[in-house]
């Protein structure tokens, strides 16, 4: 029905659209790298339709990644890598554990908190899942949690990597839609923290129902002393997120500059502590380059594809089709959320952003949704996909480091998905959650 309505508009889609889409699906199903599948679809669509000269592809690829804001991506990735190698991530865990050790399920709560702390630096969910998983999953099991649930807890907590600023996902969507990254970072603060709290509360509820982890008996004075010791021994680790947040939100630094300062600060701390050596640099740079090398080609090849889709009238047709189904903004928002969650289940965030954002944005404009709210809703909905099969990236990461079955982890992740979905719907239907911290001009 949807595609029949799509073809009833002035721009009729033919095989020059359908065949490249089918080609893309087949290539992804065959495990061809996503950037190559997108590139093949884009080039075939341009060749078959003739809507744009094929000679523009090279120029589009170059200009697509020739943006100062994208420099922040490798910088935040490198910061997260240095953070792990210098042992500063362990300091975050010590402080988080000291904060929650008095309560039942304290270490589970500490695991969620340290995921949020790591997210506030690296901007990557996969990096957070790997780093935090290696530190906490065995200890969670020793504390009484079933191993699949411990894996699910880390996978869910690591979803905050793209939801709490600074986030690579917000850098990319800001570039694609032409919205200031610093504005998106500010808008994402409350939604990101709400997701973190939802995961925290889910763990508290599950722990209460199953009596997995008990709580230490501790007086208020003992708790304060324990917290003070942890903060005193690891206060320097918090210089990194402090610099990032103060620099960006005070307007003193752009996200790219904040990423550069964060890298230098983390490296300096590592040298001072003696936990980082010059011999560590080649491995760190190679590791960060591999991650960055996955993201940038996807962005580069997605832009000519987005241009071809726009010239063919796909975004306008999508708006026409959905508004023909219903004119109710509440219904259309619900449909967008379902589309984004479904897309997040089968494809990574970066290609979803560069392909779906230009298609869904006209629909959001048509129903009067705020631009910033749309971006926050989109990234949050896609974030739910990180712990949902068949391509929940965080599920694969924690499965890879633990050897636990992906299906068993996914089953234990269901409560987290439900709580995160509630927060996603709140963000989608209540603009103030995303815009309350912004200047009046952005509301």
């Amino acid at each position: 029905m949807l595609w029949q309505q799509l073809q009833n508009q002035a721009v009729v889609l033919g095989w020059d659209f359908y065949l490249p889409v089918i080609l893309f699906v087949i290539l992804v199903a065959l495990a061809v790298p996503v950037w190559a599948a997108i590139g093949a679809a884009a080039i075939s669509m341009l060749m078959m339709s003739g809507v744009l000269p094929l000679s523009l592809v090279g120029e589009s690829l170059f200009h697509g990644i020739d943006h100062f804001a994208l420099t922040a991506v490798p910088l935040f990735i490198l910061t997260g890598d240095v953070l792990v190698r210098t042992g500063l991530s362990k300091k975050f865990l010590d402080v988080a554990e000291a904060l929650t050790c008095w309560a039942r399920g304290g270490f589970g709560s500490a695991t969620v908190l340290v995921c949020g702390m790591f997210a506030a630096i690296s901007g990557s969910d996969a990096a957070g899942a790997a780093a935090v998983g290696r530190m906490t999953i065995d200890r969670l099991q020793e504390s009484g949690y079933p191993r699949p649930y411990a894996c699910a807890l880390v996978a869910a907590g690591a979803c905050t990597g793209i939801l709490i600023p600074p986030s690579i996902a917000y850098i990319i969507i800001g570039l694609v839609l032409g919205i200031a990254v610093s504005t998106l970072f500010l808008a994402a603060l409350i939604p990101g923290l709400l997701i973190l709290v939802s995961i925290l509360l889910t763990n508290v509820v599950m722990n209460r129902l199953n009596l997995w982890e008990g709580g230490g008996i501790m007086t208020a004075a003992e708790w304060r002393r324990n917290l003070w010791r942890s903060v005193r021994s690891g206060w320097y680790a918090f210089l990194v997120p402090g610099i990032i947040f103060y620099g960006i939100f005070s307007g003193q630094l752009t996200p790219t500059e904040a990423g550069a300062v964060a890298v230098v600060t983390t490296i300096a701390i590592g040298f001072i502590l003696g936990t980082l050596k010059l011999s560590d640099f080649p491995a760190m740079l190679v590791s960060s380059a591999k991650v960055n090398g996955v993201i940038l080609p996807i962005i580069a090849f997605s832009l000519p594809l987005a241009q071809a889709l726009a010239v063919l009238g796909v975004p306008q047709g999508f708006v026409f089709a959905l508004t023909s189904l219903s004119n109710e903004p509440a219904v259309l928002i619900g449909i967008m959320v379902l589309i984004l969650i479904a897309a997040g289940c089968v494809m990574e965030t970066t290609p979803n952003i560069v392909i779906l954002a230009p298609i869904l944005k006209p629909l959001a404009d048509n129903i009067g949704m705020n631009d910033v709210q749309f971006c926050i809703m989109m990234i949050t909905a896609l974030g739910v996909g990180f712990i949902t099969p068949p391509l929940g990236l965080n599920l694969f990461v924690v499965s890879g480091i633990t050897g636990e079955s992906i299906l068993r982890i996914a089953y234990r992740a269901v409560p987290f998905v439900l709580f995160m979905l509630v927060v996603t719907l709140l963000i989608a239907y209540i603009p103030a959650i995303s815009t309350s911290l912004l200047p009046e001009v952005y509301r």
Side-chain angles (χ1 to χ4, degrees):
M1 175 65 72
L2 177 61
W3 292 110
Q4 289 175 352
Q5 292 179 358
L6 191 60
Q7 289 182 312
N8 287 335
Q9 59 174 317
V11 179
V12 178
L13 299 178
W15 288 111
D16 55 351
F17 169 76
Y18 293 113
L19 280 181
V21 171
I22 294 171
L23 174 65
F24 171 77
V25 173
I26 292 174
L27 291 177
V28 171
L30 292 175
V32 173
V34 174
W35 66 266
I38 292 174
I43 292 173
S44 60
M45 190 176 295
L46 291 173
M47 290 178 63
M48 294 178 65
S49 65
V51 292
L52 291 173
L54 196 59
S55 59
L56 292 179
V57 172
E59 181 181 350
S60 182
L61 292 179
F62 176 78
H63 287 293
I65 58 176
D66 185 25
H67 289 272
F68 180 67
L70 281 179
T71 310
V73 174
L75 291 174
F76 284 122
I77 293 172
L78 181 58
T79 301
D81 200 6
V82 178
L83 193 74
V84 174
R85 292 176 183 271
T86 55
L88 295 184
S89 54
K90 180 65 170 60
K91 297 299 181 181
F92 290 140
L93 180 60
D94 292 340
V95 173
E97 189 176 2
L99 279 170
T100 61
C101 62
W102 59 272
R104 185 178 188 90
F107 189 68
S109 299
T111 299
V112 178
L113 288 180
V114 80
C115 284
M117 294 175 184
F118 199 92
I121 296 175
S122 72
S124 170
D125 58 292
V132 177
R134 290 190 178 97
M135 290 190 298
T136 62
I137 288 176
D138 288 338
R139 284 192 58 188
L140 286 167
Q141 189 175 8
E142 293 169 3
S143 300
Y145 293 98
R147 192 168 182 82
Y149 178 85
C151 294
L153 178 63
V154 171
C159 289
T160 57
I162 67 164
L163 305 177
I164 293 178
S167 163
I168 294 171
Y170 285 119
I171 295 173
I172 296 171
I173 198 171
L175 170 68
V176 171
L177 297 182
I179 300 174
V181 175
S182 56
T183 300
L184 294 177
F185 280 179
L186 184 59
L189 269 179
I190 293 178
L193 291 176
L194 282 178
I195 289 289
L196 183 70
V197 170
S198 74
I199 298 168
L200 194 66
L201 291 178
T202 305
N203 179 64
V204 170
V205 171
M206 294 300 294
N207 190 66
R208 292 274 180 171
L209 292 175
N210 296 280
L211 304 177
W212 285 324
E213 180 187 6
I217 300 174
M218 181 179 295
T219 65
E222 290 174 331
W223 176 78
R224 286 194 295 269
R225 283 197 298 271
N226 189 38
L227 179 59
W228 170 245
R229 282 196 299 268
S230 299
V231 172
R232 186 176 57 185
S233 66
W235 62 270
Y236 45 83
F238 291 88
L239 286 175
V240 182
I243 288 171
I244 293 173
F245 276 85
Y246 175 77
I248 293 175
F249 297 134
S250 68
Q252 300 297 315
L253 300 172
T254 66
T256 301
E257 292 167 344
V261 174
V263 169
V264 173
T265 303
T266 312
I267 291 174
I269 293 174
F271 278 132
I272 292 171
L273 296 177
T275 56
L276 190 65
K277 304 174 183 176
L278 285 175
S279 58
D280 294 325
F281 275 74
M284 285 192 309
L285 294 174
V286 168
S287 175
S288 299
K290 286 181 178 178
V291 178
N292 195 55
V294 172
I295 295 173
L296 289 186
I298 293 175
I299 298 173
F301 279 103
S302 295
L303 291 177
L305 177 61
Q307 291 172 350
L309 292 174
V311 175
L312 287 174
V314 174
Q316 298 88 335
F318 195 80
V319 173
F320 175 84
L322 290 186
T323 52
S324 298
L325 295 175
S326 174
N327 287 320
E328 288 295 326
V331 174
L332 295 174
I333 289 173
I335 292 174
M336 281 196 291
V337 170
L338 289 176
I339 290 172
L340 291 169
I341 292 176
C345 291
V346 298
M347 197 160 57
E348 297 174 359
T349 304
T350 301
N352 274 326
I353 291 172
V354 293
I355 293 173
L356 292 178
I359 293 176
L360 293 178
K361 178 64 165 54
L363 179 61
D365 292 338
N366 189 69
I367 61 177
M369 178 178 280
N370 181 283
D371 290 353
V372 174
Q373 182 195 7
F374 169 75
C375 292
I376 304 300
M377 177 196 72
M378 181 171 188
I379 301 303
T380 307
L382 291 175
V384 178
F386 282 115
I387 52 173
T388 50
L391 196 65
L393 182 59
N394 289 2
L395 300 180
F396 282 88
V397 172
V398 294
S399 175
I401 64 176
T402 63
E404 195 65 43
S405 165
I406 290 176
L407 290 179
R408 294 181 66 187
I409 300 172
Y411 173 75
R412 292 288 190 172
V414 170
F416 298 106
V417 172
L418 295 177
F419 272 69
M420 290 173 67
L421 181 59
V422 170
V423 176
T424 302
L425 292 174
L426 290 175
I427 293 169
Y429 288 106
I430 304 176
I433 295 176
S434 306
T435 61
S436 58
L437 295 180
L438 300 180
E440 188 67 32
V441 66
Y442 293 106
R443 299 183 187 178

